[in-house]
Amino acid sequence: MAAEAEARLPKAAFDYYAGGSGTEWTLAENERAFRRWVFRRRVLVDVSEVDTAVTVLGQRLPFPVLLAPVALQRMAHAEGELATARAAAEAGTTMILSTLSSTTIEDVAATGVDRWFQLYVHRDRGLTGELIDRAVASGYRALVLTVDTPQLGRRDRDERNGFLPPPGVDLAILTSTTGGLSQQTGAGGGSSLFAYFARQCDPSVTWADVEWVRSRAQLPVVLKGVTTAEDARRAADAGVAAVSVSNHGGRQLDGDPATIDALPEVADEVGDRLDVLVDGGVRRGTDVLCALALGAKAVLIGRPQLWGLACGGQAGVGRVLDLLRMDFTLAMRLAGVTSTAAIGRSLVRRAVP
Amino acid sequence: MAAEAEARLPKAAFDYYAGGSGTEWTLAENERAFRRWVFRRRVLVDVSEVDTAVTVLGQRLPFPVLLAPVALQRMAHAEGELATARAAAEAGTTMILSTLSSTTIEDVAATGVDRWFQLYVHRDRGLTGELIDRAVASGYRALVLTVDTPQLGRRDRDERNGFLPPPGVDLAILTSTTGGLSQQTGAGGGSSLFAYFARQCDPSVTWADVEWVRSRAQLPVVLKGVTTAEDARRAADAGVAAVSVSNHGGRQLDGDPATIDALPEVADEVGDRLDVLVDGGVRRGTDVLCALALGAKAVLIGRPQLWGLACGGQAGVGRVLDLLRMDFTLAMRLAGVTSTAAIGRSLVRRAVP
Amino acid sequence: MAAEAEARLPKAAFDYYAGGSGTEWTLAENERAFRRWVFRRRVLVDVSEVDTAVTVLGQRLPFPVLLAPVALQRMAHAEGELATARAAAEAGTTMILSTLSSTTIEDVAATGVDRWFQLYVHRDRGLTGELIDRAVASGYRALVLTVDTPQLGRRDRDERNGFLPPPGVDLAILTSTTGGLSQQTGAGGGSSLFAYFARQCDPSVTWADVEWVRSRAQLPVVLKGVTTAEDARRAADAGVAAVSVSNHGGRQLDGDPATIDALPEVADEVGDRLDVLVDGGVRRGTDVLCALALGAKAVLIGRPQLWGLACGGQAGVGRVLDLLRMDFTLAMRLAGVTSTAAIGRSLVRRAVP
Amino acid sequence: MAAEAEARLPKAAFDYYAGGSGTEWTLAENERAFRRWVFRRRVLVDVSEVDTAVTVLGQRLPFPVLLAPVALQRMAHAEGELATARAAAEAGTTMILSTLSSTTIEDVAATGVDRWFQLYVHRDRGLTGELIDRAVASGYRALVLTVDTPQLGRRDRDERNGFLPPPGVDLAILTSTTGGLSQQTGAGGGSSLFAYFARQCDPSVTWADVEWVRSRAQLPVVLKGVTTAEDARRAADAGVAAVSVSNHGGRQLDGDPATIDALPEVADEVGDRLDVLVDGGVRRGTDVLCALALGAKAVLIGRPQLWGLACGGQAGVGRVLDLLRMDFTLAMRLAGVTSTAAIGRSLVRRAVP
């Protein structure tokens, strides 16, 4: 579907969605790393009934796939985040709305989708507090604090393209306060988003701010972007409800390990204290199965939802979710497991190099 | 010969035979994995006489290659399974007839080939019992229960092609009872075989059914699709006569290890209790030699017989068998072994990565 | 930028700069090896202020990138080493002038750049002593003795091209004494530089000469080209001030390890006794970060400065330095480190092969 | 030079020289494996004088490269083995004449080259004895018994080409007795050499025959084709003077390890009892250096001499030898070793995978 999306989208938009930082090694590694794990499936198990449900942040999901926060979805389709939200609602899963959404917090909430809000802490803490308050007021169930982005990663494609969303698409939640991307003077000579980030977002965020976010929101906090046991332990000590092992889809620090390779150390360290999620490179049901085997409660998908959105709007996102759910169910059957609770470390081993 | 077969066959038929599930990683890995073993051959051994014979299920085979069960062979050649059977008979080896054969159990038996019958347990256990009874009545010597297919793997090529056999070719053994593939409503929008499987085949088969099959047939039972020591031990405990280490030619769970890499743990676990076979990626005499060194009594070939069938019918299959036998004999000579009994673990080691 | 430089430069000049010796395995390995290390970055660190400065040979550098000695820079741009020197001066970093410079020692000194002088010991020790004296007299702060080049590596590209600089470009420091490259009879049938080296440079240089150089110059001596702990220890014993782990950009012994892979053993051995530098394959800020994590004080860049020079003269070199500094700062931020002193071995681990 | 040779030679001749058996994995692995070793070179060694000489079978060679036995050299150049012999004589090295030579034993001897004779034991032991006697009578200094070829490897290129030398080129030493290749009925449908071998050569040769050869010749015997410590020990016990670690250039058992990877175990086992040689994949001076570091006294080159022969007859072979000698001398210099005696295991280590 990526190929069809590429054909449908303007180059700068596709590149923004598809690209990564630096040499794009981490971007490629995220997918490649799944090929370095193999299954130890079991046979002759009655798999006529397979329970794909999981519980994340205390709430049941019908299958362990959430929609990762993705910026500027109206570049992919006129209905943008609304289409995504409706598809998520229909599939019964959770959508994580990006701070860099091209649709407002309130409009997405109006779709009724189960929703979390992803937060970039801005230098303007008043603005940041308002974002939190708006999310709380609009019924978002959790705050996802992205912690791998004190500054935006340098993405050569966006620099070369002088990335700027097309007219009519901008940061819907932020434009009134910050001017949005169209006001970035850097837009002529580089990525407008890189410039926006440098100017508006706060590189000084620390663990103390996690506590601030938590107390302001009175909601569960999810840290997205953890890759080490050390930070995972610290997150648990800080009382966060979940972490997502993430390298921002290979868009931040090039040289980050593949998330599926970083997952085991995080899950081993804190899997009994909080919910461990993972995102990066998940494309197939077998990837989801592998992630759960290595300790994740669920996965977040990013680019696949975008390709669905670009190719078919709400129906396209819905199809991606349906296919992934079906494919995961099939993977469970073929692996001989009947419930997500039964998916454990013994189901996988390293492939022979 | 694969290239010539591709040129001769309709795309949908070739894709069905050649393709695998998911990313086709396991499909490719099956062949690639043989390149990760190297030989420790010995020199100055008198190899003027080389005995390639093996004993499988108590019966002597002139060389350790059997014909794997392959569905719908009449797509490859008008004579289909009959051509294959006659070639196997002429070569003195065993043919395993697929439940999904395009020729009847009885017609294949009439060729006189040494034969085993591969079984998919259907939801309709009456039908399944009849299949067993027909195989017994027709002189099949063993039942091969495929255990890696509680549901059919998702094969993108077949989904895209809307795979359906051409008019006149269908499941010869099953059409009268189930309607066969041409009656699948899914045929317009996906693989008819995927749809058939979901509707007709039983995902609830367990070890208890192995006992049922065994007692109904009063024949040796072979489990095809085992990849772990745990399942191999359970198979031995259940009294099966043989297992084939298999991932269904990379067509079921993508992410399964290469069979040649899974073989050692199975052979180590149960090699002294039952016959261990292996299938997947065997293309050359050196592959057969490697498989025997790692503990297999014999190998099953799938795609090579099909390419022979597509290119030359009975003569084509015969040529594939002749070449493989000759090539295996040559490999034994060059490795300095004169009998299959002398082929052991010390003949191979891991290649340097 | 390499591609643009290739388009701008005559083939023989580009090949001379870009090529390596033998199979060019080491050349490629230098870059590839960085991909075999991954970061263990930390999150939620206040990275609003990041101190990229390091101290090398007792002097503060604003960021840990020096300009490696590169021969014949006037092939890349009419202003050659002068453009490079001015760009280095503007960036506040150090330029290492090559003995094979196409600009004189004194002219480069006149730019005011912070400068070290790279030395090839010639068979004519009188000439060599004069080179040292001129460097000292012109305010070069250190002597970089290249120790991986007792003879020039055989570079197939240069042999095929019959490498000879274009008219008007030659060894500015050496032509009056040795005749320079244009007088090499080998020029018609091979590389003029290979011939020059064989005739003029001294393959008998030993540790005793290091002492001679040191006492003659009364300057810190840097050994460039060390790759083993044994030689590093010997260098420390000999009182050198720094070593650069180097394989001459893959241009000398093909089969040398990547420098980033040789760095840890050198740093472990002598990191507390002298300054360890590294050069080879550094292209991104993340490469610099990796080098510092593995024990380097700073890195030297070679080809990147040339591509900048070829594409834009002084401004081009300046842009390369600016980008690298910015990219390194960004890498520090994304890795969660705020000072170069905090960059240690725990920041990296081996990637999964 | 391989590319130029390919352009000059008829396809069937080039394929015969260049090709390997089976999947050609071993063929490729021979060269690739050298890239998996890296040097631990030393610096600041006086390498103005480098002694490349070695002693093999008690005789001094100016540099450690011998000419491997290669069949049918008149396909490459009208002067065939005579051109090769003269080039070897001029370079001061040893030529090993193949039993399958297209020039007679006596004609090659007449060139005065230092020479060994390679032997394939024929089923006709009278003929075999005569070959030995002729070699002895013509002053060949050693007999090289090839032990990896009880039957010829199956080489797909030759099978497809129906390999048969062009008119006027045949087995000069054997045609009068056996009819040579032009009399092989297999020539229409496959490789004439494969057919010749199956009919004429003896697959029953054992260690007892080594003793027979040795006593008949009263010359040192070299076993070519050993790859294991076990066979190397047996060779030493049998009193052979040398072994060559060889997989016949990847032309016999596909799946054999690269020779450079098999060398260490052989050298460790018998390096103190006999001369260990190695052949396979040697293309550069660094390859020779690596082979000596891993325990070889010298290497044999096969295909490189052929490309030289095809491109320039005697002068071409001479140029290959000159280049390799120069390149090996250079490699020694760059590695910091001044005599072949000083090249040891500590000079290399495994590359990072």
Side-chain angles (χ1 to χ4, degrees), chain C residues 60-141:
Chain C
R60 186 182 173 281
L61 285 178
F63 61 109
V65 177
L66 296 84
L67 294 185
V70 174
L72 295 169
Q73 298 186 21
R74 290 184 53 230
M75 292 199 307
H77 188 273
E79 296 174 17
E81 288 83 0
L82 292 179
T84 303
R86 289 171 189 139
E90 194 172 344
T93 191
T94 302
M95 176 187 185
I96 309 176
L97 186 69
S98 170
T99 292
L100 305 178
S101 171
S102 50
T103 308
T104 65
I105 291 174
E106 294 74 17
D107 286 351
V108 168
T111 65
V113 69
D114 186 64
R115 53 200 178 272
W116 302 353
F117 183 69
Q118 178 270 338
L119 185 69
Y120 285 124
V121 176
H122 279 55
R123 293 178 192 268
D124 179 344
R125 293 296 174 102
L127 165 61
T128 306
E130 285 164 27
L131 293 177
I132 295 172
D133 296 345
R134 285 172 66 188
V136 172
S138 295
Y140 288 74
R141 278 203 302 122

Side-chain angles (χ1 to χ4, degrees), chain A residues 35 37-48 284 286 323 326-327 330-331 333-335 349 351-353, chain B residues 22 25 36 147 150-152 154 156 203-207 210 225 227 230-231 246 252 254-257 261 265:
Chain A
R35 308 285 89 76
W37 294 97
V38 293
F39 295 108
R40 292 180 55 79
R41 65 173 161 79
R42 304 300 299 271
V43 303
L44 293 168
V45 174
D46 177 353
V47 291
S48 48
R284 301 266 180 177
T286 45
L323 275 171
M326 191 182 75
D327 206 36
L330 173 56
R333 279 213 175 90
L334 299 185
R349 65 166 175 79
V352 182
Chain B
W25 180 85
R36 295 194 301 250
V147 293
Q151 182 176 349
L152 203 74
R154 187 173 172 86
D156 288 359
S204 78
V205 176
T206 66
W207 292 96
V210 176
T227 58
E230 295 88 323
D231 280 336
S246 174
Q252 288 296 113
D254 190 43
D256 258 4
D261 286 337
E265 73 169 83

Side-chain angles (χ1 to χ4, degrees), chain A:
Chain A
M1 199 136 52
E4 187 184 340
E6 186 168 10
R8 285 168 174 271
L9 293 174
K11 177 172 164 46
F14 177 79
D15 277 354
Y16 171 72
Y17 292 144
S21 57
T23 64
E24 299 195 336
W25 181 86
T26 295
L27 173 69
E29 181 77 351
N30 272 348
E31 290 193 37
R32 189 167 47 219
F34 281 104
R35 308 285 89 76
R36 295 194 300 251
W37 294 97
V38 293
F39 295 108
R40 292 180 55 79
R41 65 173 161 79
R42 304 300 299 271
V43 303
L44 293 168
V45 174
D46 177 353
V47 291
S48 48
E49 299 298 323
V50 163
D51 183 2
T52 60
V54 292
T55 301
V56 176
L57 296 192
Q59 181 156 326
R60 186 182 174 281
L61 286 178
F63 62 109
V65 177
L66 297 84
L67 295 185
V70 175
L72 295 169
Q73 298 186 20
R74 290 184 53 231
M75 292 199 308
H77 188 273
E79 296 175 18
E81 288 83 359
L82 293 179
T84 303
R86 288 172 189 136
E90 193 172 346
T93 191
T94 301
M95 175 186 184
I96 309 176
L97 185 69
S98 170
T99 291
L100 306 178
S101 172
S102 50
T103 307
T104 64
I105 291 174
E106 294 74 17
D107 285 350
V108 168
T111 64
V113 69
D114 186 63
R115 54 202 175 271
W116 301 354
F117 183 70
Q118 178 271 337
L119 184 69
Y120 285 124
V121 175
H122 278 56
R123 294 179 190 268
D124 180 345
R125 293 296 174 102
L127 165 61
T128 307
E130 284 164 28
L131 293 177
I132 295 173
D133 296 345
R134 284 172 67 187
V136 171
S138 295
Y140 287 73
R141 277 204 301 122
L143 286 183
V144 178
L145 188 66
T146 300
V147 293
D148 55 16
T149 315
Q151 182 176 350
L152 203 73
R154 190 174 170 83
R155 303 162 191 172
D156 288 359
R157 303 196 205 194
D158 294 347
E159 293 299 319
R160 280 195 301 262
N161 293 333
F163 173 69
L164 182 69
V169 180
D170 209 324
L171 306 177
I173 304 174
L174 299 160
T175 301
S176 62
T177 331
T178 66
L181 301 178
S182 61
Q183 300 302 309
Q184 297 306 318
T185 54
S191 160
S192 62
L193 196 63
F194 186 89
Y196 176 90
F197 235 87
R199 190 177 310 164
Q200 301 288 348
C201 293
D202 191 344
S204 79
V205 178
T206 65
W207 292 97
D209 298 291
V210 176
E211 180 50 32
W212 173 73
V213 167
R214 198 159 65 110
S215 62
R216 173 101 178 204
Q218 299 291 324
L219 284 179
V221 168
V222 181
L223 294 192
K224 180 168 175 285
V226 169
T227 58
T228 65
E230 295 89 322
D231 280 337
R233 188 168 53 244
R234 189 125 185 218
D237 292 346
V240 311
V243 295
S244 191
V245 177
S246 175
N247 51 37
H248 213 121
R251 298 158 77 83
Q252 288 296 112
L253 184 64
D254 191 43
D256 257 5
T259 50
I260 197 67
D261 287 337
L263 172 61
E265 75 171 81
V266 170
D268 286 350
E269 187 72 27
V270 299
D272 55 347
R273 300 176 67 193
L274 47 72
D275 286 348
V276 176
L277 309 173
V278 67
D279 64 84
V282 175
R283 298 293 177 267
R284 301 266 180 177
T286 45
D287 300 336
V288 182
L289 184 63
C290 182
L292 266 61
L294 291 170
K297 287 274 192 208
V299 306
L300 280 51
I301 57 166
R303 291 180 182 88
Q305 57 166 296
L306 279 170
W307 308 150
L309 184 61
C311 295
Q314 176 185 344
V317 178
R319 180 157 167 73
V320 165
L321 287 168
D322 287 350
L323 275 171
L324 204 45
R325 179 178 189 167
M326 191 182 75
D327 206 36
F328 174 61
T329 309
L330 173 56
M332 284 183 66
R333 279 213 175 90
L334 299 185
V337 284
T338 56
S339 75
T340 52
I343 301 171
R345 193 66 61 94
S346 64
L347 186 60
V348 291
R349 65 166 175 79
R350 280 282 177 203
V352 182

Side-chain angles (χ1 to χ4, degrees), chain B residues 45-182:
Chain B
V45 175
D46 176 353
V47 292
S48 49
E49 299 298 324
V50 163
D51 183 2
T52 60
V54 291
T55 301
V56 177
L57 296 192
Q59 182 156 326
R60 186 182 174 282
L61 286 178
F63 63 108
V65 178
L66 296 85
L67 295 185
V70 175
L72 296 168
Q73 298 186 20
R74 290 184 53 229
M75 292 198 308
H77 188 273
E79 295 175 18
E81 289 83 358
L82 292 179
T84 302
R86 288 171 189 138
E90 193 172 345
T93 191
T94 301
M95 175 187 185
I96 308 176
L97 186 69
S98 169
T99 292
L100 305 178
S101 170
S102 51
T103 308
T104 65
I105 291 174
E106 294 74 16
D107 285 351
V108 169
T111 65
V113 68
D114 186 63
R115 56 201 176 272
W116 301 354
F117 183 70
Q118 178 270 338
L119 184 68
Y120 285 124
V121 175
H122 279 55
R123 294 180 192 266
D124 179 344
R125 293 297 173 100
L127 165 61
T128 307
E130 283 164 30
L131 294 177
I132 296 173
D133 296 345
R134 283 171 66 186
V136 172
S138 295
Y140 287 74
R141 278 204 300 123
L143 286 183
V144 178
L145 187 66
T146 300
V147 293
D148 55 16
T149 314
Q151 182 176 349
L152 203 74
R154 187 173 172 86
R155 303 161 191 172
D156 288 359
R157 304 197 204 194
D158 295 347
E159 292 299 318
R160 280 194 301 262
N161 293 335
F163 173 68
L164 182 69
V169 180
D170 209 324
L171 305 177
I173 304 174
L174 299 161
T175 301
S176 63
T177 332
T178 66
L181 300 178
S182 60

Side-chain angles (χ1 to χ4, degrees), chain D residues 291-311:
Chain D
L292 266 61
L294 291 170
K297 287 275 192 206
V299 306
L300 280 50
I301 56 164
R303 290 180 183 89
Q305 59 167 295
L306 278 170
W307 309 150
L309 184 61
C311 295

